[in-house]
Amino acid sequence: MDRKKFHSETLLAHSGRIHDQVGGTVNTPVYRGSTLLFPTVDDLKSVYGTLNTYGRHGNPTTRSLEKALCELEGAFGAMLTPSGLTAVTTSLMATLKPGDHLLMTDSVYDPTRAFCDETLARFGVETTYYDPGLGADISHLIRDNTRVVFVESPGSLTFDIQDIPAIAKVAHAHDALVILDNTWGTPVNFASFQHGVDISVHAATKYIVGHSDVLMGVIMTTEALYGQVRGYYKQIGLTVSADDAYLALRGLRTLSTRLERHQRNAMIIADWLHGQPEVAQILYPALPDAPGHDLWKRDFTGACGLFGVRLHETSETAVHAMLDGMELFGMGFSWGGFESLILLTNPAPHRTATRWESNGPLLRLHIGLENPEDLIADLNSGFERLRKVINIRTSK
Ligand SMILES: *Cc1c(COP(=O)(O)O)cnc(C)c1O
């Protein structure tokens, strides 16, 4: 389907359907199978060199999902991976070789950093971390052998928004590629390829699946890079199950509806948090006074339910008292599902090019689809537990 003709809500409802069957179902069913059979030698020969030879290379269910994702984000081709992290690592392995130099944002998802520092280093690729606040000035860090500039906007935990068009302009002038981790932006809210991105990767685990029950990643590329990335992907044998692809495709249909509600609830809760004396800063690019808001407004068409909350200095025991008793907010490492989550985080040890400075702790909140009044009541009880600990300590 044509992105230029239809809006994302319409694409979500209609993309990736198989129309070649009379009486076919609306959503593509689960096509389980490893072996494909061919009645004649000529039939078998006719699929040589295509993706239609063997189950590992995909099936109608995975292809429906890939097609829908491409149409939404405006990519040429997509590849599904068993997790978001394999989408990241596969995109890097497919584009880098020994002796190459990689520029990596200092705000990157921590497991991506670990892959660069250990595996890429072992394969002779050097990584330089850069300040996510750099735009065109990133040119000072480009070397003759810089092949990839990796961006993640907004950044994990700290929600720094990057000037991707400015970075892409510099990268392309030096023959380097731009790879984006677009998990927060989603295929709906950030049009990667219109902003100069060459490869967009997602943890589909988060909003694309949307129901906290499947791990999956996706790599999307321009036409120029598709053959190279698909080739590597095929050589290392990555594949996902049709059952998981089916669930992701089913989740995808409601992506924009869910995101709208996640954003609306997140705004209500961020507003309420602003009024709490313990809150020092809210790191949510959709808020007018948040860092990166202007770039977010320029480049994104919406936000999601994930943001950071920096508290004023407080005791660890008090924060634990707050978090240990939450009724609705679960504690867990993921996000993007229909449910609310809260997590105590600390970006400081994961920074090398810049410093994360904060007197108080940093919380990461994922605002789900619950009624925001109930979520506020849960947070309010949490702050009361925190205050109780502080008051006992100060009255001693
Ligand atoms: C969760 C996440 C990943 C990894 O996804 P998995 O499916 O958990 O492997 C990558 N990047 C970002 C920004 C994430 O939040």
Side-chain angles (χ1 to χ4, degrees), residues 82-86 88 109 112 152 156 181 183-184 202-206 215-217 333-335 364:
S83 65
L85 187 57
T86 38
V88 170
Y109 180 62
T112 300
E152 183 181 314
S156 273
D181 184 332
T183 302
W184 192 96
H202 294 264
T205 309
K206 312 291 167 54
L215 284 155
M216 194 181 290
F333 283 103
S334 198
W335 48 281
R364 190 180 74 181

Side-chain angles (χ1 to χ4, degrees), residues 285-326:
L287 289 177
D289 60 352
H293 176 73
D294 292 343
L295 286 176
W296 172 80
K297 211 170 154 188
R298 187 191 71 184
D299 295 344
F300 289 69
T301 53
C304 62
L306 190 78
F307 61 84
V309 181
R310 206 162 58 77
L311 300 183
H312 289 296
E313 193 170 358
T314 182
S315 83
E316 215 176 293
T317 338
V319 178
H320 287 204
M322 174 182 185
L323 298 182
D324 289 351
M326 302 304 288

Side-chain angles (χ1 to χ4, degrees), residues 140-158:
H140 303 303
L141 297 174
I142 299 250
R143 303 180 194 165
D144 289 344
N145 61 341
T146 306
R147 284 282 72 82
V148 172
V149 181
F150 194 102
V151 290
E152 183 181 314
S153 181
S156 273
L157 307 183
T158 48

Side-chain angles (χ1 to χ4, degrees), residues 111-192:
T112 300
R113 179 183 282 267
F115 180 77
C116 297
D117 294 347
E118 291 169 37
T119 304
L120 287 184
R122 191 156 54 80
F123 284 92
V125 173
E126 191 186 344
T127 303
T128 302
Y129 293 93
Y130 66 87
D131 182 341
L134 286 181
D137 283 346
I138 202 165
S139 59
H140 303 303
L141 297 174
I142 299 250
R143 303 180 194 165
D144 289 344
N145 61 341
T146 306
R147 284 282 72 82
V148 172
V149 181
F150 194 102
V151 290
E152 183 181 314
S153 181
S156 273
L157 307 183
T158 48
F159 300 92
D160 327 60
I161 295 275
Q162 298 192 247
D163 191 343
I164 294 176
I167 291 172
K169 206 169 156 199
V170 171
H172 293 159
H174 293 85
D175 275 337
L177 303 171
V178 176
I179 304 181
L180 164 68
D181 184 332
N182 196 21
T183 302
W184 192 96
T186 78
V188 168
N189 287 334
F190 185 76
S192 313

